[in-house]
Amino acid sequence: MTALLAIAHTGQVSGAEAVLLRALIAARRRGWTVRCVGPPGPLALALAQHDIPHVPLPELSLGAGPAPVAAAALAAATAAAARRIRRVSRDMQADVVLVNGLLGLPAARLARVAAPIVWLVHDVLRRADRLAVLRGAAPSVDLAIAVSEAAASAPRAAGIRTTVVRNGTRWPVDAAPQPPPSPPVVGCVAALTSWKGQDVLLEAARLLPPGVHVELAGASFPKDGEYVTRLHAMADGPELAGRVRFLGRVDDPLECMRQWAVCVSPSVDPEAGPLHVLEAMSVGVPLIGTDHGGTPEVLDGAGVLVPPGDPAALAAAIDRLLTDIALHRSCAKAGPLLVAERYQASARVDELLDTVEAAAQPTPRGRLRHLTVLAVPDYLPRLGGTTSLTANQAETLLHNGHDVVVLTRRAQDGLARHESVNGVAVVRLGRPGEGRLAAKLTVLSMVIWLARRRARVGAFHAVMYPDFAAAAALAGLGSRSAMTWAGEGDATDTLGHPGHRAAGLSRLRRRLLARVTHVALTPRLAHELAEVGVEGDVRVMPIPVDLAHFHPPQPKERDDARRHLGIDKDELVVTFTGHLRTLKAVDRLIEAVAQLRERDLAVRLLVVGGGRGADDDQDLELQQQAAPLGAAVTFTGAVGDVVPYLWASDVFVLPSTREGFPNSLLEAMACGLACVAPASAAGDQVLTPATGVVPPTGSAEALADAIADLAAAPERREALGRAAALAARRYGLESFAGTYTALIDELERQ
């Protein structure tokens, strides 16, 4: 029988406390010994109704008044709480301590309990003060259980072993009537506090027809008095007078929701795992949620997503759901099906308790080293081949159950230091900027980050940037680290030739990288590593391509792509995708197009990509060079998805003077394009005479001749494209996943 001690930092009952209460009641039903420590209040009263012992604690939150006074009071309350937690844990011989929310963690760490500490993560942590609390408490946490991948990002970034158990809601429940009552009511269930975004909903309501009414269900707290006053003032304004009802706290949100046509979650800060989203889905009321946090992870056809803080977009989404009967019915039908299949409260609580019970068992030593860290110079939303490679690696490992953190540079202002990207925790280190000083500060920050988490890091993998692998070695992780070399000449530039007298920095890098496992994208890169004196086996592991996304278009898809870009049916389109760096040699491709135009060959060039803000960017120079060609050359700038441009194209050209294993060439092949790439762009390693053209040089004249030959032979173009798409199948994610996961597992065993 498990003895569970729960810690609540507040005595109020909101979504997080409702989840805790549900879990503690279920634990009692399992026969566990359960106690809860926390401030007096509604939560304690609810526990008493279920005969769950409650031990009072002081409120563990920053109170009102001057900041130094409030901080001192919180410190004193935390110390008093820690003493009580330690005593209760000892007296009940707790097997596991369950901390509900972030603010109970400092007291739990200070208590120095003997039992494992499990943290229930109900928030998407982004504020600097909250992240500082997390960093201080992280060493004491044995396991974090997050309600969404978005919420899991911060604990993973802090080096805490983290799993995701999503929230659930009651099921079965009575459905809302269809069609909904008239006049239509748009509702929101949330505490009246500014980050919940009720003001955005009221702004949106001003843009809707007068017949649309709004109901706001939720209590308010004293600190939010000014915000609540502003909401009432908005509701009393001429556009909304008589159309807004404040319901206060409601005992049964589902009863309110059944009277609504649409439920809205307008939060301007990300919700981790909002219960009201699941509740609306359960009764079949379409939901509009903001596109961040945990809401997009569960909505899945039961509603519509809008940007946060955008009243116009919210109004448009509401109007669409109210007027598009088919969409409304589809969302109303999807919600209950999703809840029945994935989000029944009983099943989610069972999963939560099973996870807590497993955490109470003794942890094998090897399980302590659980974290897989990938390091790359740039990561999403910035674009590039190594970014795509690392994203595929991270998402593959995450899918296979690894705790993954991506470390990268904070290359520019506006990029968050910590965030979740497609479920992957991303940490950006160093100061903003692209210069040498910023790069060195990033490496230093990485050494410190890794050293602090050395005991928890099972495997480290650096992509393209050897100084990141050196940072891992400096942090004591050399034998658990891998370095992927992505560009020809990089190893020679970094390590020098063994027969030559290496500079001091090269010698240091050699020493640091001596115990690192080396990975090359191509046999030629592996040969280069051998030539510069890298000892031991070098793994050859090509870049994978997502064949579900990159594939030949259907005729309608190709026609639509060309129509959208304003391309005539008979126009020959040549495309380049990638960063506009000097080594990409796009100037040669532009010169080739100019020569083709002089030969009276109507060619249109799409240059898809942009600069990186680095010293070798050429975007402005290239646009000046192409200006005399007018509409024959189109610069798209950086784009999120190159597929529509590839689908609209006839020929893909990669003219680079130096490449490793070009991701852009594989993507073009997978989309069924005839490809041109000289040996300097790795064409001789990727293409064959059956799948593409490798011109004798990368000069403008050689590129122009290759393009002209393909322009004159449409049947050959199509045959090359078909063969290229078949050849690209060898590089699918499925074949890559097993090899890469095996590498990481091998590193973790070191």
Side-chain angles (χ1 to χ4, degrees):
M1 183 173 65
T2 302
L4 169 66
L5 173 60
I7 301 174
H9 74 274
T10 178
Q12 302 302 315
V13 177
S14 59
E17 289 71 42
V19 172
L20 176 66
L21 180 61
R22 190 178 288 161
L24 297 184
I25 293 169
R28 278 292 300 272
R29 289 174 181 160
R30 287 191 176 196
W32 293 12
T33 299
V34 179
R35 290 186 186 177
C36 181
V37 295
L43 177 60
L45 297 175
L47 290 167
Q49 292 176 1
H50 295 276
D51 297 323
I52 297 175
H54 176 267
V55 178
L57 292 181
E59 190 82 19
L60 298 177
S61 59
L62 203 61
V69 175
L74 177 58
T78 299
R83 291 192 293 271
R84 196 161 297 176
I85 291 167
R86 184 163 53 246
R87 187 180 72 247
V88 174
S89 177
R90 183 184 61 242
D91 292 347
M92 70 178 295
Q93 297 183 327
D95 295 309
V96 63
V97 174
L98 184 65
V99 182
N100 197 51
L102 174 72
L103 297 181
L105 286 181
R109 181 176 188 186
L110 199 58
R112 301 174 71 176
V113 295
I117 293 176
V118 176
W119 170 32
L120 287 185
V121 189
H122 299 283
D123 301 292
V124 179
L125 299 177
R126 300 194 303 179
R127 282 173 37 184
D129 57 343
R130 300 299 175 96
L131 292 172
V133 171
L134 173 56
R135 287 193 294 272
S140 66
V141 179
D142 295 274
L143 175 68
I145 302 176
V147 298
S148 64
E149 293 292 349
S153 174
R156 283 180 177 143
I160 299 172
R161 186 162 58 98
T162 304
T163 189
V164 172
V165 177
R166 301 193 186 278
N167 287 330
T169 188
R170 286 181 292 160
W171 184 261
V173 294
D174 293 335
Q178 294 295 335
S182 184
V185 177
V186 176
C188 173
V189 177
L192 301 184
T193 189
S194 58
W195 74 271
K196 292 292 188 178
Q198 290 94 344
D199 54 342
V200 180
L201 173 55
L202 294 186
E203 288 284 358
R206 288 173 170 170
L207 305 175
L208 294 169
V212 178
H213 292 254
V214 175
E215 289 186 349
L216 302 180
S220 61
F221 302 101
K223 66 181 181 64
D224 297 306
E226 184 177 337
Y227 175 70
V228 174
T229 299
R230 182 158 64 88
L231 291 180
H232 280 277
M234 294 176 69
D236 292 337
E239 301 99 329
L240 295 178
R243 296 171 54 196
V244 181
R245 292 184 288 275
F246 292 84
L247 305 182
R249 177 179 176 80
V250 295
D251 293 330
D252 186 1
L254 302 190
E255 195 58 40
C256 293
M257 291 177 176
R258 291 188 186 97
Q259 308 307 311
W260 296 345
V262 176
C263 184
V264 177
S265 177
S267 303
V268 294
D269 288 340
E271 299 266 10
L275 291 176
H276 61 272
V277 169
L278 298 177
E279 290 168 343
M281 291 166 60
S282 73
V283 297
V285 173
L287 184 122
I288 300 173
T290 42
D291 192 8
H292 55 179
T295 300
E297 297 177 25
V298 300
L299 198 52
D300 196 14
V304 177
L305 294 169
V306 296
D310 189 336
L314 179 55
I318 294 171
D319 183 67
R320 184 181 172 203
L321 277 171
L322 293 179
T323 56
D324 188 334
I325 296 174
L327 176 63
H328 191 282
R329 286 176 178 168
S330 174
C331 294
K333 183 178 179 180
L337 293 175
L338 287 167
V339 170
E341 180 182 351
R342 306 176 189 174
Y343 305 119
Q344 292 191 46
S346 57
R348 298 284 67 77
V349 170
D350 283 344
E351 183 184 3
L352 174 61
L353 292 181
D354 289 346
T355 306
V356 171
E357 188 173 32
Q361 308 304 316
T363 303
R365 184 179 181 276
R367 289 287 305 281
L368 296 175
R369 293 189 344 206
H370 64 90
L371 201 63
T372 301
V373 180
L374 310 183
V376 65
D378 292 306
Y379 198 69
L380 303 172
R382 290 166 70 89
L383 304 172
T386 52
T387 297
S388 298
L389 169 63
T390 308
N392 283 330
Q393 292 170 337
E395 291 169 26
T396 295
L397 293 170
L398 192 69
H399 178 74
N400 289 335
H402 289 254
D403 281 342
V404 182
V405 176
V406 171
L407 303 183
T408 187
R409 303 177 302 160
R410 192 165 176 240
Q412 63 190 56
D413 285 319
L415 292 175
R417 289 188 179 274
H418 301 82
E419 68 173 330
S420 177
V421 179
N422 298 331
V424 176
V426 180
V427 179
R428 296 185 176 87
L429 301 171
R431 58 181 289 181
E434 296 276 0
R436 182 170 297 180
L437 176 60
K440 300 309 176 189
L441 288 175
T442 299
V443 174
L444 178 60
S445 299
M446 190 172 294
V447 174
I448 296 170
W449 193 97
L450 291 169
R452 287 176 174 172
R453 297 159 179 83
R454 177 183 171 187
R456 298 187 179 217
V457 175
F460 176 90
H461 181 197
V463 179
M464 195 177 81
Y465 199 49
D467 282 353
F468 288 171
L474 283 170
L477 295 168
S479 63
R480 287 180 249 161
S481 298
M483 167 65 203
T484 289
W485 299 87
E488 285 195 22
D490 288 355
T492 304
D493 293 345
T494 302
L495 303 176
H497 285 286
H500 299 162
R501 182 170 180 176
L505 186 56
S506 293
R507 289 197 302 272
L508 176 61
R509 284 172 173 149
R510 278 184 174 275
R511 191 173 298 117
L512 291 173
L513 298 180
R515 299 183 65 194
V516 168
T517 298
H518 294 272
V519 179
L521 298 183
T522 66
R524 193 153 71 195
L525 288 173
H527 179 69
E528 180 185 347
L529 287 168
E531 284 193 328
V532 300
V534 171
E535 298 179 355
D537 291 336
V538 175
R539 318 289 178 87
V540 176
M541 195 176 299
I543 285 178
V545 62
D546 184 356
L547 298 176
H549 186 63
F550 293 95
H551 58 82
Q554 297 296 320
K556 184 178 185 304
E557 291 173 323
R558 175 175 164 82
D559 291 345
D560 289 346
R562 290 175 74 92
R563 187 182 308 109
H564 179 74
L565 294 172
I567 297 170
D568 293 338
K569 183 178 181 181
D570 298 326
E571 200 168 8
L572 184 78
V573 177
V574 176
T575 294
F576 162 87
T577 63
H579 290 305
L580 302 187
R581 303 173 59 193
T582 303
L583 63 82
K584 296 295 184 179
V586 179
D587 56 331
R588 298 182 183 180
L589 180 55
I590 293 173
E591 174 59 28
V593 170
Q595 293 181 17
L596 291 170
R597 305 285 289 189
E598 290 175 359
R599 302 182 197 178
D600 294 326
L601 184 60
V603 175
R604 180 165 175 182
L605 173 62
L606 300 181
V607 180
V608 183
R612 302 179 305 158
D615 293 339
D616 61 347
D617 284 351
Q618 277 198 314
D619 42 346
L620 294 178
E621 294 90 336
L622 293 173
Q623 290 181 45
Q624 292 172 356
Q625 178 191 357
L629 296 174
V633 181
T634 299
F635 290 85
T636 69
V639 300
D641 186 6
V642 300
V643 165
Y645 300 92
L646 295 175
W647 282 357
S649 303
D650 300 290
V651 177
F652 178 84
V653 179
L654 185 66
S656 308
T657 59
R658 178 166 152 177
E659 287 282 358
F661 194 79
N663 192 64
S664 58
L665 183 55
L666 271 185
E667 292 170 349
M669 292 172 64
C671 287
L673 283 177
C675 296
V676 176
S680 59
D684 60 336
Q685 298 182 79
V686 181
L687 300 174
T688 68
T691 60
V693 178
V694 182
T697 71
S699 68
E701 293 77 8
L703 296 176
D705 289 344
I707 296 169
D709 289 345
L710 291 174
E715 292 183 357
R716 183 183 176 217
R717 283 202 315 267
E718 293 177 5
L720 289 174
R722 287 192 299 270
L726 287 173
R729 292 182 184 178
R730 292 180 296 163
Y731 304 103
L733 288 175
E734 297 77 10
S735 58
F736 159 84
T739 305
Y740 183 64
T741 303
L743 170 65
I744 297 300
D745 290 343
E746 182 180 329
L747 293 175
E748 290 178 341
R749 290 193 292 270
Q750 299 299 316

